[in-house]
Short mmCIF file of all heavy atoms in Angstrom, two decimals:
data_model
loop_
_atom_site.label_atom_id
_atom_site.label_comp_id
_atom_site.label_asym_id
_atom_site.label_seq_id
_atom_site.Cartn_x
_atom_site.Cartn_y
_atom_site.Cartn_z
N ILE A 295 -11.20 7.91 -11.44
CA ILE A 295 -10.98 8.56 -10.10
C ILE A 295 -11.00 7.53 -8.99
O ILE A 295 -9.99 7.29 -8.36
CB ILE A 295 -12.04 9.65 -9.82
CG1 ILE A 295 -12.02 10.70 -10.93
CG2 ILE A 295 -11.76 10.30 -8.44
CD1 ILE A 295 -13.15 11.75 -10.79
N LEU A 296 -12.12 6.94 -8.73
CA LEU A 296 -12.28 6.08 -7.55
C LEU A 296 -11.47 4.82 -7.59
O LEU A 296 -10.67 4.54 -6.67
CB LEU A 296 -13.77 5.64 -7.46
CG LEU A 296 -14.12 4.84 -6.19
CD1 LEU A 296 -13.92 5.67 -4.95
CD2 LEU A 296 -15.59 4.38 -6.35
N PHE A 297 -11.51 4.06 -8.64
CA PHE A 297 -10.78 2.81 -8.72
C PHE A 297 -9.21 2.99 -8.75
O PHE A 297 -8.47 2.26 -8.14
CB PHE A 297 -11.22 1.94 -9.92
CG PHE A 297 -12.57 1.34 -9.74
CD1 PHE A 297 -13.25 0.79 -10.79
CD2 PHE A 297 -13.19 1.29 -8.52
CE1 PHE A 297 -14.54 0.21 -10.64
CE2 PHE A 297 -14.44 0.77 -8.27
CZ PHE A 297 -15.13 0.22 -9.39
N PRO A 298 -8.77 4.03 -9.56
CA PRO A 298 -7.28 4.24 -9.49
C PRO A 298 -6.74 4.53 -8.09
O PRO A 298 -5.71 4.10 -7.71
CB PRO A 298 -7.11 5.42 -10.48
CG PRO A 298 -8.24 5.32 -11.42
CD PRO A 298 -9.40 4.84 -10.56
N VAL A 299 -7.52 5.38 -7.32
CA VAL A 299 -7.11 5.69 -6.00
C VAL A 299 -7.14 4.40 -5.11
O VAL A 299 -6.24 4.09 -4.36
CB VAL A 299 -8.04 6.77 -5.38
CG1 VAL A 299 -7.78 6.91 -3.87
CG2 VAL A 299 -7.77 8.08 -6.06
N ALA A 300 -8.20 3.66 -5.26
CA ALA A 300 -8.30 2.41 -4.46
C ALA A 300 -7.22 1.43 -4.81
O ALA A 300 -6.71 0.74 -3.93
CB ALA A 300 -9.71 1.72 -4.75
N ASP A 301 -6.89 1.31 -6.08
CA ASP A 301 -5.85 0.34 -6.57
C ASP A 301 -4.55 0.66 -5.98
O ASP A 301 -3.74 -0.19 -5.68
CB ASP A 301 -5.82 0.37 -8.09
CG ASP A 301 -4.90 -0.64 -8.63
OD1 ASP A 301 -4.91 -1.82 -8.21
OD2 ASP A 301 -4.07 -0.29 -9.51
N LYS A 302 -4.28 1.97 -5.86
CA LYS A 302 -2.95 2.41 -5.31
C LYS A 302 -2.83 2.20 -3.82
O LYS A 302 -1.78 1.86 -3.33
CB LYS A 302 -2.72 3.84 -5.66
CG LYS A 302 -2.26 4.13 -7.08
CD LYS A 302 -2.01 5.63 -7.31
CE LYS A 302 -1.47 5.93 -8.72
NZ LYS A 302 -0.16 5.36 -8.93
N PHE A 303 -3.86 2.44 -3.06
CA PHE A 303 -3.80 2.55 -1.65
C PHE A 303 -4.42 1.44 -0.80
O PHE A 303 -4.39 1.49 0.37
CB PHE A 303 -4.32 3.91 -1.22
CG PHE A 303 -3.66 5.04 -1.92
CD1 PHE A 303 -4.43 5.90 -2.73
CD2 PHE A 303 -2.26 5.22 -1.88
CE1 PHE A 303 -3.79 6.95 -3.44
CE2 PHE A 303 -1.65 6.24 -2.63
CZ PHE A 303 -2.41 7.14 -3.33
N LEU A 304 -4.99 0.44 -1.41
CA LEU A 304 -5.59 -0.69 -0.69
C LEU A 304 -4.67 -1.84 -0.85
O LEU A 304 -4.34 -2.28 -1.95
CB LEU A 304 -7.00 -1.04 -1.17
CG LEU A 304 -8.05 0.07 -0.90
CD1 LEU A 304 -9.40 -0.36 -1.58
CD2 LEU A 304 -8.26 0.34 0.52
N SER A 305 -4.31 -2.49 0.29
CA SER A 305 -3.42 -3.62 0.24
C SER A 305 -4.14 -4.86 -0.23
O SER A 305 -5.31 -4.92 -0.25
CB SER A 305 -2.85 -3.86 1.65
OG SER A 305 -3.91 -4.31 2.55
N ASP A 306 -3.29 -5.88 -0.64
CA ASP A 306 -3.89 -7.12 -1.04
C ASP A 306 -4.75 -7.76 0.00
O ASP A 306 -5.77 -8.40 -0.24
CB ASP A 306 -2.79 -8.10 -1.58
CG ASP A 306 -2.25 -7.66 -2.90
OD1 ASP A 306 -2.88 -6.85 -3.57
OD2 ASP A 306 -1.22 -8.27 -3.27
N ASN A 307 -4.25 -7.69 1.32
CA ASN A 307 -5.05 -8.26 2.35
C ASN A 307 -6.41 -7.65 2.50
O ASN A 307 -7.42 -8.31 2.75
CB ASN A 307 -4.27 -8.13 3.67
CG ASN A 307 -3.06 -9.15 3.78
OD1 ASN A 307 -3.10 -10.13 3.07
ND2 ASN A 307 -2.11 -8.78 4.61
#
Side-chain angles (χ1 to χ4, degrees):
I295 301 172
L296 183 65
F297 288 166
V299 169
D301 184 48
K302 282 182 177 293
F303 304 120
L304 295 176
S305 68
D306 284 348
N307 285 339

